[in-house]
């Protein structure tokens, strides 16, 4: 069986370091591993509209931002197909058929949907399109026969729901769709990178993000203001690592070679942590080190972004070509789906023969 990746993001803002360690970095590694037959990276504008119906301009403006961030991180159009969800009408058609295989109560139990309903104050009036987006996500994944979906932990319920739809479809209509596997980050810190304020999630609305495209000085200021251990007041005080954002970020970003380069008194992160918990290591020193680490990681990304920013025509061309290719693939799957569901009336000579016989 072919190994195929599909994943994507909603274009509601620029991508941040949480996206980077949680998913983007992995995608680029998977792309460059050469182990996959096809890689599809989707800008999920239709899904973004499910809870931004009154703000299409936001979605429209952020398509290019997400595309630039993708390319900046090292996704390459020769190796990965970058495309825009709304340009693939087959996805909507698949979702419509899958809707028959899912109950309202099952959607209501989806933990991601549940928490998003709360977050957006949709409790009393849930838009139907929003409510159904897990079904549309199943369409995205299955349309490309994806075997692997690299995403953040918050997407686990979506993948569970997709698998259920696949099983149900295959059992009702015959083996047609491929059941995907989720691929989560293998590092705990990458799984849920907190905001710079230590709050559980990095999010634009909380204003606690470090964006991939941000200028070095802005990044430095944010790192120097990061939440640490509030009881670690004097340098001599023993410090706590749990909930200490600076150390969580080091867990996510640090490699041993950065110590040789920027902080040679320590061989690795464990030694630094030991010193911190023992006492005698100040926050400023750790923050400065983290700043060096993050700047080193983000510099090539920012540089590559700046190059692509000079060539916006080319970026839209990449998305257009990618969308054309994606549409062909999705059309093939839709065709298979319609055959399995026997809604292929004009391609089915047996049907006509059968009907003729009935009236002979
Ligand atoms: N739900 C994803 C997000 O919020 C975006 C998305 C839409 C997606 N369709 C997908 C991710 C299919 C993986 C696979 O970022």
């Amino acid at each position: 069986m072919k190994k195929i990746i599909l994943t994507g993001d909603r274009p509601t803002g620029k991508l941040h370091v949480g996206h980077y360690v949680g998913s983007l970095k992995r995608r680029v590694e998977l792309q460059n591993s050469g182990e996959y037959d096809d890689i599809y990276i989707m800008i999920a504008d239709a899904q973004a509209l499910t809870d931004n119906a009154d703000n299409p301009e936001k979605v429209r403006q952020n398509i290019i931002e997400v595309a630039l961030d993708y390319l900046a991180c090292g996704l390459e159009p020769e190796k990965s197909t970058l495309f825009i969800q709304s340009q693939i009408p087959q996805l909507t058609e698949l979702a419509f058929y899958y809707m028959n295989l899912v109950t309202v109560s099952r959607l209501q139990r989806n933990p991601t949907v549940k928490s998003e309903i709360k977050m957006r104050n949709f409790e009393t009036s849930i838009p139907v399109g929003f409510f159904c987006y897990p079904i549309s996500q199943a369409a995205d994944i299955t349309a490309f026969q994806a075997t692997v979906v690299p995403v953040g932990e918050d997407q686990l319920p979506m993948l569970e729901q997709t698998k259920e739809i696949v099983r149900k479809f295959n059992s009702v209509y015959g083996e047609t769709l491929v059941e995907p596997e989720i691929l989560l980050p293998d590092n705990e810190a990458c799984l849920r990178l907190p905001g710079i304020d230590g709050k559980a999630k990095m999010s634009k609305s909380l204003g606690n993000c470090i964006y991939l495209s941000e200028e070095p000085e802005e990044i430095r200021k944010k790192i120097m203001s990061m939440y640490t251990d509030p009881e670690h007041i004097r340098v001599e005080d023993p410090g706590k690592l749990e909930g200490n954002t600076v150390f969580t970020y080091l867990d996510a970003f640090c490699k041993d070679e950065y110590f040789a380069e920027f902080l040679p008194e320590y061989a690795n992160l464990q030694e630094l942590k030991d010193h911190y918990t023992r006492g005698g290591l100040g926050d400023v020193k750790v923050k400065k080190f983290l700043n060096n680490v993050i700047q080193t990681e983000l510099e090539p990304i920012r540089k590559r972004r700046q190059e692509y920013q000079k060539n916006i025509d080319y970026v839209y061309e990449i998305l257009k070509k990618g969308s054309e290719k994606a549409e062909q693939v999705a059309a093939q799957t839709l065709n298979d789906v319609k055959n399995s569901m026997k809604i292929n009336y004009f391609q089915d000579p047996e049907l006509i023969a059968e009907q003729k016989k009935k009236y002979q």
Side-chain angles (χ1 to χ4, degrees):
M1 193 168 70
K2 276 192 166 185
K3 290 174 79 175
I4 298 172
I5 288 178
L6 176 118
T7 185
D9 301 273
R10 298 181 190 186
T12 52
K14 292 181 176 177
L15 301 181
H16 52 60
V17 293
H19 293 115
Y20 182 64
V21 296
S23 175
L24 291 170
K25 197 173 169 183
R26 186 66 162 290
R27 289 181 204 173
V28 175
E29 285 163 10
L30 294 170
Q31 169 195 269
N32 296 337
S33 74
E35 278 181 30
Y36 290 85
D37 296 289
D38 287 303
I39 301 176
Y40 298 94
I41 311 286
M42 179 182 78
I43 301 181
D45 62 334
Q47 188 176 105
L49 286 166
T50 66
D51 65 335
N52 287 283
D54 53 357
N55 201 353
E57 195 55 27
K58 170 166 129 190
V59 174
R60 179 181 155 88
Q61 293 299 330
N62 279 305
I63 285 176
I64 190 79
E65 301 299 340
V66 172
L68 285 166
D69 285 330
Y70 283 167
L71 295 163
C73 286
L75 290 172
E76 295 170 36
E78 302 76 31
K79 296 181 186 162
S80 299
T81 304
L82 309 184
F83 71 97
I84 306 178
Q85 186 183 28
S86 64
Q87 303 307 297
I88 320 299
Q90 291 81 2
L91 299 179
T92 330
E93 206 172 328
L94 285 172
F96 191 72
Y97 296 128
Y98 297 170
M99 282 183 192
N100 303 328
L101 308 175
V102 181
T103 63
V104 169
S105 65
R106 175 61 182 89
L107 282 171
Q108 278 167 334
R109 271 187 282 116
N110 183 310
T112 306
V113 172
K114 249 177 157 168
S115 71
E116 284 178 332
I117 286 174
K118 268 217 186 95
M119 217 165 73
R120 289 169 176 67
N121 295 321
F122 277 164
E123 278 105 334
T124 49
S125 57
I126 307 171
V128 173
F130 169 80
F131 191 58
C132 295
Y133 93 76
I135 302 175
S136 129
Q137 193 153 335
D140 303 335
I141 295 168
T142 54
F144 300 93
Q145 312 278 7
T147 51
V148 175
V149 183
V151 278
E153 199 187 27
D154 60 320
Q155 297 297 305
L156 234 163
M158 299 300 149
L159 264 288
E160 283 309 311
Q161 186 125 40
T162 299
K163 287 182 184 206
E164 282 174 35
I165 291 172
V166 169
R167 287 187 210 126
K168 181 96 187 188
F169 189 99
N170 289 345
S171 80
V172 176
Y173 303 114
E175 246 355 90
T176 313
L177 301 174
V178 175
E179 205 176 305
E181 287 305 323
I182 190 168
L183 189 63
L184 294 171
D186 37 26
N187 168 335
E188 180 81 24
C190 295
L191 216 50
R192 247 168 288 120
L193 196 75
I196 55 169
D197 54 359
K199 294 234 170 69
K201 209 180 149 149
M202 192 172 276
S203 98
K204 197 169 67 180
S205 50
L206 295 173
N208 61 3
C209 307
I210 295 176
Y211 293 98
L212 290 173
S213 48
E214 224 159 341
E215 289 303 321
E217 182 49 22
E218 274 307 301
I219 296 174
R220 193 192 64 82
K221 277 193 208 145
K222 288 186 176 178
I223 291 174
M224 297 315 285
S225 77
M226 253 184 186
Y227 181 82
T228 58
D229 169 9
E231 280 154 40
H232 184 245
I233 299 163
R234 288 165 306 158
V235 173
E236 314 84 79
D237 294 338
K240 262 208 319 274
L241 300 173
E242 307 87 56
N244 188 323
T245 318
V246 174
F247 280 96
T248 311
Y249 276 52
L250 283 174
D251 279 328
F253 282 98
C254 195
K255 300 182 207 139
D256 287 352
E257 65 242 43
Y258 288 134
F259 282 95
E261 197 175 345
F262 301 117
L263 207 56
E265 310 101 276
Y266 305 90
N268 53 41
L269 189 53
Q270 194 52 50
E271 284 187 11
L272 188 76
K273 286 180 175 174
D274 289 345
H275 193 182
Y276 191 79
T277 46
R278 232 177 18 245
L281 175 58
D283 280 340
V284 171
K285 187 163 177 178
V286 188
K287 284 178 172 175
K288 281 188 175 158
F289 175 58
L290 175 63
N291 181 53
N292 282 324
V293 169
I294 294 206
Q295 299 287 359
T296 309
E297 293 268 324
L298 296 190
E299 189 186 52
I301 297 176
R302 190 181 325 107
K303 290 252 162 72
R304 227 177 286 131
R305 199 184 204 274
Q306 283 162 353
E307 287 309 305
Y308 281 109
Q309 280 169 198
K310 291 183 201 149
N311 208 344
I312 296 295
D313 280 330
Y314 175 56
V315 178
Y316 275 108
E317 197 53 39
I318 291 170
L319 295 175
K320 183 161 178 260
K321 287 240 173 67
S323 299
E324 282 160 10
K325 176 173 173 200
E327 179 167 6
Q328 283 176 13
V329 177
Q332 182 57 51
T333 304
L334 179 62
N335 203 45
D336 295 346
V337 159
K338 289 169 100 172
N339 278 332
S340 299
M341 292 177 73
K342 306 229 173 266
I343 49 177
N344 55 349
Y345 315 116
F346 305 129
Q347 282 96 37
D348 185 1
E350 266 175 45
L351 172 70
I352 298 175
E354 208 180 291
Q355 301 305 322
K356 265 163 76 179
K357 219 160 111 199
K358 193 157 89 185
Y359 287 106
Q360 249 157 25

